């Protein structure tokens, strides 16, 4: 398993800027809670799934099998 940033630098820069503005919380989510703190709960659960391969909700990270 490998987790990497999106290969599109513009996406990475935009999401990182949003994270900075929201204090580390997912810029794609309205709710601010521990579940939306980057890496969000949704992606952490996807990482645990050995069959999952893909992007997190905001497209910042990609999990490879």
């Amino acid at each position: 398993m490998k987790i990497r940033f999106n290969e599109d630098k513009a996406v990475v820069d935009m999401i990182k800027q949003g994270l900075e503005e929201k204090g580390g919380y997912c810029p794609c989510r309205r709710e601010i809670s521990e579940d939306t703190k980057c890496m969000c709960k949704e992606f952490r659960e996807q990482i645990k799934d050995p069959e999952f391969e893909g992007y997190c909700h905001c497209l910042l990270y990609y999990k490879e099998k």
Side-chain angles (χ1 to χ4, degrees):
M1 175 188 69
K2 179 180 176 183
I3 298 171
R4 61 171 172 79
F5 283 116
N6 188 324
E7 60 279 346
D8 186 333
K9 185 173 176 357
V11 170
V12 171
D13 290 345
M14 180 179 62
I15 299 300
K16 283 185 172 184
Q17 179 181 352
L19 284 166
E20 187 175 318
E21 290 171 3
K22 286 189 75 176
Y25 294 93
C26 182
C28 305
R29 307 270 187 185
R30 296 179 83 165
E31 178 186 351
I32 293 181
S33 72
E34 285 306 307
D35 291 348
T36 62
K37 186 85 169 176
C38 191
M39 291 181 166
C40 67
K41 180 180 178 183
E42 178 183 0
F43 193 56
R44 289 190 312 261
E45 290 175 359
Q46 290 172 324
I47 289 170
K48 292 177 187 176
D49 178 358
E51 296 303 311
F52 175 79
E53 180 169 2
Y55 288 100
C56 67
H57 175 80
C58 65
L59 304 177
L60 178 62
Y61 297 108
Y62 186 85
K63 179 196 171 208
E64 299 175 0
K65 285 187 186 179

